[in-house]
Every structure is written in structure tokens, then in C-alpha cells.
Amino acid sequence: GLLLLTTQDVTELAATQTRLRAVIDSLLDPHVQFEPVRDDAGTIINFEFADANLAAREATDQHEKLNGMRLLTLFPGVSKELLGWLVNVVETGEPLILDDYVYELETMGGAQRYYDLRLVKMNGGLTHSFRDVTDRHQQQAKELERLAELEHFHRLPVGRALKMLELEKDPAHPQNTNEHSLNENHTPQK
């Protein structure tokens, strides 16, 4: 028999993986990789955390044990709609860009938070980045409230001025019916 041996230098591959890990861990935004969990029929029913950067582990309060956890176990409030979008990314390869997604975060006592989500298919699973934009929404709400107050204060003097003009034009108004008013010939009446 013939024995064929091949060797492959994996030094460059290992160096690339090390660089990629450093880039992902240096991201300020949380980034996770999900692998689909399928039932006996092959339908995706959940996702498992396969990898997570430091920001993702901190955002989920799972500093060391996030990998291997299931999405719906950690976040049971994930809607069927969102789960469907994740499944769609895996099955179609179409990326998902979703801004201002509202989620009641279980790890924060059900506090309502807003997120910008980015999901892209990667191999058989998907990669997912997210950003908490709740502060942006709170700032926008404050600005809208200030605008409403300004509009209200603007309307008050304008409304008064319009009412004064109406009253000045009203012949029955006391200001327009005094005994010193002018007659049609612009001469004082007695």
C-alpha cells in the first residue's frame, strides 16, 4: 500500500483567528454568533450562543457562561416575530437591519429598551450585533416635549392677539360704541 501524507501550515490561519478575536473583543457594541437549534423535523426552534464578545457578555450579565446558552432560555421575552426574523436570516441569507426595536429586558426588571439590530448569515448560523439606543429615544422624547411647550407658549400670545383683533372689529364691543365715536362724516358726535 501507498501511504500519502500531507502537511498544511496553519500558522497563518491561527494568526488570522487571533487577529479576528482581538477585533471582535475590542468592539464597543455587543456582538454574538448564534447557531440554530432544530427540532426533529429540522425546523429552527431556538438559537444557541456559539460566541460572544466582551461587550455582549457584559450587556447580558453573563460574563463567562454565555456560550452554550440558548437565546429563549436567557431571554424568554423574545417575540415570535423576532425569532422569525432570525430564522429568516439563516434560511434565506438575507441580512436584517432593524432600528428602534423595542424589547422589555428581563435582566433589567422588564425595563423597556430600544435597540438597533444587525444580523447576517454566517456559515449555518448567524452573526448579530446590537446597540442599546434607549438614551437616544429618551432624548428625542424630551426634545418633543420641549417643542410642545414652546408651541403652547407661542400660541397663547398669538391667540390673545387674534382675539383682540376680533374684538376691535366687533361693532357691539364697548370699545367700538362709546359716545365719542365718529359719525360717517368723521365728525365727533354729541
Side-chain angles (χ1 to χ4, degrees):
L2 180 64
L3 178 63
L4 180 62
L5 295 174
T6 62
T7 60
Q8 182 180 7
D9 185 4
V10 293
T11 307
E12 185 60 34
L13 177 61
T16 300
Q17 288 175 334
T18 300
R19 284 192 301 272
L20 181 59
R21 177 85 259 155
V23 168
I24 289 173
D25 281 339
S26 70
L27 295 174
L28 297 175
D29 289 329
H31 180 270
V32 298
Q33 179 184 346
F34 286 123
E35 292 299 325
V37 176
R38 298 177 185 271
D39 65 11
D40 293 337
T43 303
I44 298 174
I45 57 170
N46 204 340
F47 285 89
E48 187 173 284
F49 288 88
D51 191 24
N53 71 353
L54 179 60
R57 293 190 305 269
E58 288 175 353
T60 58
D61 286 334
Q62 303 295 320
H63 300 283
E64 296 301 324
K65 55 186 176 177
L66 190 58
N67 292 1
M69 293 187 79
R70 300 243 169 130
L71 176 65
L72 297 178
T73 301
L74 186 59
F75 299 107
V78 168
S79 68
K80 289 183 181 186
E81 181 181 43
L82 179 59
L83 187 63
W85 291 335
L86 273 66
V87 169
N88 189 62
V89 170
V90 171
E91 292 180 346
T92 68
E94 290 291 320
L96 175 67
I97 297 173
L98 184 62
D99 290 332
D100 306 319
Y101 178 74
V102 180
Y103 185 74
E104 291 184 12
L105 196 60
E106 294 91 341
T107 59
M108 295 182 72
Q112 192 175 65
R113 309 294 293 178
Y114 292 83
Y115 293 93
D116 288 349
L117 310 175
R118 305 293 183 265
L119 297 107
V120 178
K121 183 176 181 175
M122 186 174 84
N123 301 327
L126 59 92
T127 180
H128 171 45
S129 297
F130 57 98
R131 178 176 291 165
D132 186 335
V133 294
T134 305
D135 290 343
R136 178 180 75 199
H137 277 269
Q138 290 171 342
Q139 185 62 33
Q140 287 173 343
K142 286 178 186 176
E143 288 173 12
L144 287 173
E145 189 176 305
R146 275 198 310 260
L147 283 173
E149 286 176 12
L150 286 172
E151 185 176 320
H152 174 74
F153 288 124
H154 173 74
R155 286 182 182 188
L156 286 176
V158 169
R160 276 191 227 122
L162 290 173
K163 185 66 176 171
M164 294 292 288
L165 288 172
E166 284 178 32
L167 291 174
E168 287 176 5
K169 292 178 183 177
D170 183 2
H173 190 270
Q175 176 182 330
N176 299 329
T177 60
N178 66 36
E179 59 184 69
H180 299 289
S181 62
L182 301 176
N183 66 17
E184 290 180 9
N185 297 327
H186 300 287
T187 57
Q189 294 180 356
K190 292 193 178 188

